């Protein structure tokens, strides 16, 4: 009985594999998500963890989304006492054997000039281009407006 209970608890709290996770080449794209936006919101962020299982660095060099006029790779960083956001025009290095997490308050995809709101429970496709791995379309699951992680079970 205790073993069964422990097994159920382990399955309940185990790190889930998300249906939107993608492996292509040496890269794994895990837990892609975005936050829901209000109607007429001009921007939205996109988030994902990128794991490079290869022996060479790769670089995320661009992103596009049909829902946005422009999609850029951004970072949030402290400059003195002020948190500032800036575009990474040279992209983002994904180190060999390492990972980079695009997350709220850090690296992220910035979708600007939205043509429609992002609605919780839906997905928004983005196209990511990597220097070595090539181009892949990734569905960002849209969580709540304050989501800071992907929603389980999607």
């Amino acid at each position: 009985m205790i073993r069964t209970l422990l097994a159920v608890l382990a399955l309940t709290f185990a790190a889930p594999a998300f249906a939107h996770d993608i492996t292509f080449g040496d890269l794994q794209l895990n837990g892609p998500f975005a936050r829901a936006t209000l109607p007429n919101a001009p921007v939205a962020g996109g988030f994902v963890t990128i794991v490079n299982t290869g022996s060479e660095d790769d670089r995320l060099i661009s992103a596009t989304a049909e829902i946005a006029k422009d999609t850029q790779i951004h970072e949030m960083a402290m400059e003195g006492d002020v948190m500032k956001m800036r575009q990474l025009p040279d992209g983002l290095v994904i180190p060999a054997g390492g990972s980079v997490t695009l997350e709220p308050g850090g690296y992220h995809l910035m979708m600007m000039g939205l043509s429609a709101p992002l609605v919780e429970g839906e997905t928004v496709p983005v196209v990511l281009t990597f220097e070595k791995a090539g181009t892949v379309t990734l569905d960002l699951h849209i969580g709540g407006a304050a989501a800071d992680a992907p929603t389980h079970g999607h």
Side-chain angles (χ1 to χ4, degrees), residues 15-105:
F18 295 96
H20 303 288
D21 292 352
I22 292 176
T23 298
F24 81 110
D26 292 331
L27 300 179
Q28 298 171 356
L29 308 176
N30 300 323
F33 75 102
R35 291 176 168 165
T37 61
L38 296 172
N40 300 319
V43 299
F47 315 102
V48 62
T49 296
I50 305 167
V51 179
N52 183 353
T53 62
S55 59
E56 296 182 21
D57 292 352
D58 205 337
R59 181 184 303 267
L60 175 61
I61 54 175
S62 70
T64 60
E66 285 187 18
I67 197 167
K69 289 181 182 171
D70 190 20
T71 302
Q72 300 176 351
I73 304 160
H74 279 197
E75 76 168 342
M76 298 287 294
M78 291 298 292
E79 288 185 18
D81 294 335
V82 179
M83 177 68 81
K84 293 195 173 187
M85 180 171 54
R86 68 181 181 103
Q87 180 183 11
L88 299 175
D90 296 328
L92 181 60
V93 173
I94 314 300
S99 67
V100 173
T101 299
L102 283 68
E103 60 188 345

Side-chain angles (χ1 to χ4, degrees), residues 84-141:
K84 293 195 173 187
M85 180 171 54
R86 68 181 181 103
Q87 180 183 11
L88 299 175
D90 296 328
L92 181 60
V93 173
I94 314 300
S99 67
V100 173
T101 299
L102 283 68
E103 60 188 345
Y107 297 119
H108 59 277
L109 303 174
M110 178 59 75
M111 296 175 276
M112 300 178 290
L114 296 178
S115 59
L118 301 187
V119 178
E120 185 174 355
E122 295 183 353
T123 60
V124 60
V126 297
V127 177
L128 304 179
T129 300
F130 293 87
E131 192 172 68
K132 294 180 180 153
T135 299
V136 65
T137 299
L138 178 70
D139 287 331
L140 303 175
H141 176 76

Side-chain angles (χ1 to χ4, degrees), residues 3-23:
R3 284 186 177 170
T4 302
L5 179 60
L6 291 175
V8 169
L9 288 174
L11 290 173
T12 301
F13 295 106
F18 295 96
H20 303 288
D21 292 352
I22 292 176
T23 298

